[in-house]
Amino acid sequence: MTDEPRKGSLLVIFLTVFIDLLGFGLVLPLLPVYAEHYLADAESAGMQLGLLMASFSAMQFIFAPFWGKLSDRFGRRPIIMVGLAGSVVFYTLFGLATTITESPANTMMLLYISRIGAGIFGATISTAQAYIADTTTPEKRAKGMALIGMAFGAGFTFGPLVGMLAVTGADDTPSAAPGYIAAGLSFFALLLAFRKLPESLTETSESAGHKVFDFNGLKQAISIPSIGFILISIFVCIFSFANFETTLSLLIKGSSNHLESSPFSFTYTEICGTFAFIGITLSVVQGGIVRRMAGKRSDASLAMTGAALEIIGFVVMILAIGQENRGLLFLALGIVVAGFSFMQPSLNAMLSRRSDPARQGTIMGVGQSVSSLARIIGSGIGIPLLTIQLNMPYYVATGLMILGILLIGIASKSGKDFVESNTPETATE
């Protein structure tokens, strides 16, 4: 392990995660636009939009352990570069989708393909997390993970702003510009990685074996009580937040062919501005507050604080919908996002600190897969729930976060940080 990662390395890691979340943040506010232009069947729109979002996370669920395993064998640098190269290809396809065919069905098919590809190559976030783990001490691990959280926030900030370029003309016709911009940023990050990113893995993992796919990785991780409870906590907390993030754009868009009962009626510019507000909040809280508090308070304490804030935020959001109040809505958004900003990097730091350094890539890949599985289910269920009853996704999210607090508490007491001289089994007892 090196004492400190170089600034150029951190910039590449930041850009890798930023670009992945740029694409995710770009698509979220576009959902109502795509629904209006490419989905004629109102009854199936909720399910199709849910599947469009879930396809990205589904590929991350499948491929995060794959990339993590490869990075344990061959190093972090080549895997990160492969991920960036794939992003160039599939964000370009995302841009082409609205221009190379006049058939709505064909456009949706290409959008699905582009999101699937972006999910496959964006699954290298777990490798970026492993890079941070390689180059930081356990005491500074939470600060390193918060850097990734800042990249998440930046992606959510600029994704919607880039998304504003996706609509041209009075009839809100989608354009190809956002995909091309994201592809260009991916190419820039790829060149930067080629020039500035050194390898962080200093020794070959003995547990990597000769297999590329580690089908036993999840089983082995869950068999360690400390890591198992952390993974369950991550699943519950991400699932809860996915109910919120994937339904918000449809909720605030208001009346449409697919959702008639919303009390809000935001313009497309206002929708993008709302998601930019979310991204700014993520960046400010994680970069300005969480990074300062990391090391002064335990990771479990920070995670539980975040879970409690999310519960409060979801309750306020339910009130905002009932009272048709924009001010309450933005207050709720700020509280929910601040809670997530505390919770996500803290849970990732707990997972990393309790993992064998020789298996950081594999374990962080499993953690990323668990997060992606939660997003798959949250995306696939949240939007259909919204089309049934506006408050339903947020009632579900509230209940899950109450469970999340309990799980984080159990995880914090179920083990200790990994000790190099012990085996994983004894280190977490």
Side-chain angles (χ1 to χ4, degrees):
M1 179 185 295
T2 58
D3 294 333
E4 291 289 343
R6 297 208 296 257
K7 289 184 178 180
S9 305
L10 289 178
L11 178 60
V12 174
I13 296 301
F14 182 91
L15 282 175
T16 298
V17 180
F18 167 75
I19 287 166
D20 182 56
L21 268 293
L22 179 80
F24 193 75
L26 184 155
V27 170
L28 281 175
L30 285 175
L31 287 179
V33 177
Y34 288 149
E36 291 296 321
H37 283 269
Y38 304 124
L39 296 176
D41 186 357
E43 294 183 0
S44 65
M47 184 62 66
Q48 290 193 55
L49 290 175
L51 289 174
L52 180 63
M53 293 302 302
S55 63
F56 177 89
S57 297
M59 293 303 101
Q60 291 206 324
F61 170 70
I62 294 171
F63 281 88
F66 167 70
W67 294 125
K69 185 68 173 178
L70 283 185
S71 78
D72 282 341
R73 293 187 62 192
F74 303 114
R76 319 300 186 200
R77 182 176 184 270
I79 301 306
I80 288 172
M81 291 181 65
V82 168
L84 290 170
S87 295
V88 173
V89 173
F90 287 99
Y91 280 132
T92 300
L93 180 60
F94 184 81
L96 289 172
T98 60
T99 61
I100 62 177
T101 175
E102 296 181 357
S103 167
N106 289 339
T107 298
M108 286 302 298
M109 180 184 69
L110 290 177
L111 290 174
Y112 272 108
I113 293 172
S114 69
R115 296 308 292 158
I116 287 170
I120 290 172
F121 290 95
T124 52
I125 284 182
S126 61
T127 305
Q129 291 173 330
Y131 193 102
I132 292 292
D134 291 340
T135 55
T136 56
T137 62
E139 293 74 19
K140 296 183 178 181
R141 190 68 44 76
K143 289 185 178 181
M145 294 302 174
L147 177 72
I148 291 180
M150 290 172 62
F152 269 69
F156 265 103
T157 302
F158 290 98
L161 295 179
V162 172
M164 288 183 182
L165 301 174
V167 175
T168 59
D171 60 347
D172 289 347
T173 302
S175 80
Y180 296 152
I181 292 173
L185 287 172
S186 299
F187 184 70
F188 171 74
L190 177 61
L191 293 179
L192 193 64
F194 179 76
R195 294 178 57 87
K196 297 290 187 179
L197 186 69
E199 181 53 59
S200 67
L201 195 63
T202 57
E203 59 184 27
T204 302
S205 170
E206 295 181 359
S207 59
H210 300 288
K211 297 179 180 179
V212 174
F213 287 96
D214 186 3
F215 293 104
N216 292 323
L218 179 60
K219 180 179 178 181
Q220 292 173 1
I222 293 179
S223 69
I224 304 171
S226 175
I227 292 180
F229 279 118
I230 294 172
L231 291 174
I232 295 171
S233 300
I234 290 173
F235 176 84
V236 169
C237 294
I238 298 296
F239 179 93
S240 175
F241 191 76
N243 272 275
F244 157 78
E245 66 182 355
T246 58
T247 57
L248 179 61
S249 61
L250 291 171
L251 172 70
I252 63 179
K253 176 65 168 64
S255 299
S256 68
N257 294 334
H258 314 296
L259 190 71
E260 298 181 355
S261 57
S262 175
F264 304 108
S265 183
F266 283 35
T267 66
Y268 182 73
T269 299
E270 289 174 331
I271 293 172
C272 291
T274 300
F275 277 88
F277 165 76
I278 290 173
I280 291 170
T281 303
L282 275 169
S283 296
V284 169
V285 175
Q286 290 196 345
I289 300 176
V290 176
R291 280 176 63 88
R292 293 177 182 273
M293 296 181 67
K296 298 178 182 178
R297 293 181 58 185
S298 69
D299 296 329
S301 175
L302 292 175
M304 293 180 73
T305 298
L309 285 172
E310 284 204 22
I311 291 171
I312 295 171
F314 287 133
V315 171
V316 175
M317 192 162 185
I318 293 170
L319 292 175
I321 294 172
Q323 297 182 20
E324 304 183 11
N325 189 310
R326 282 195 178 195
L328 276 180
L329 175 66
F330 276 93
L331 176 62
L333 298 183
I335 296 172
V336 169
V337 173
F340 187 73
S341 301
F342 272 86
M343 185 176 56
Q344 185 191 40
S346 302
L347 288 175
N348 285 332
M350 287 175 65
L351 181 63
S352 176
R353 288 165 64 108
R354 297 187 183 185
S355 301
D356 181 349
R359 294 182 59 82
Q360 283 281 352
T362 300
I363 296 298
M364 298 308 290
V366 170
Q368 185 66 27
S369 284
V370 169
S371 296
S372 297
L373 180 61
R375 290 187 186 277
I376 294 168
I377 300 175
S379 300
I381 292 179
I383 294 177
L385 287 178
L386 184 75
T387 61
I388 296 172
Q389 210 279 329
L390 289 181
N391 281 328
M392 196 174 296
Y394 314 113
Y395 281 121
V396 171
T398 302
L400 287 171
M401 288 314 306
I402 293 172
L403 176 61
I405 287 182
L406 298 176
L407 288 170
I408 294 169
I410 294 172
S412 69
K413 297 178 180 179
S414 64
K416 303 176 182 178
D417 292 352
F418 180 86
V419 178
E420 189 70 37
S421 60
N422 293 338
T423 63
E425 289 76 13
T426 59
T428 54
E429 289 177 350

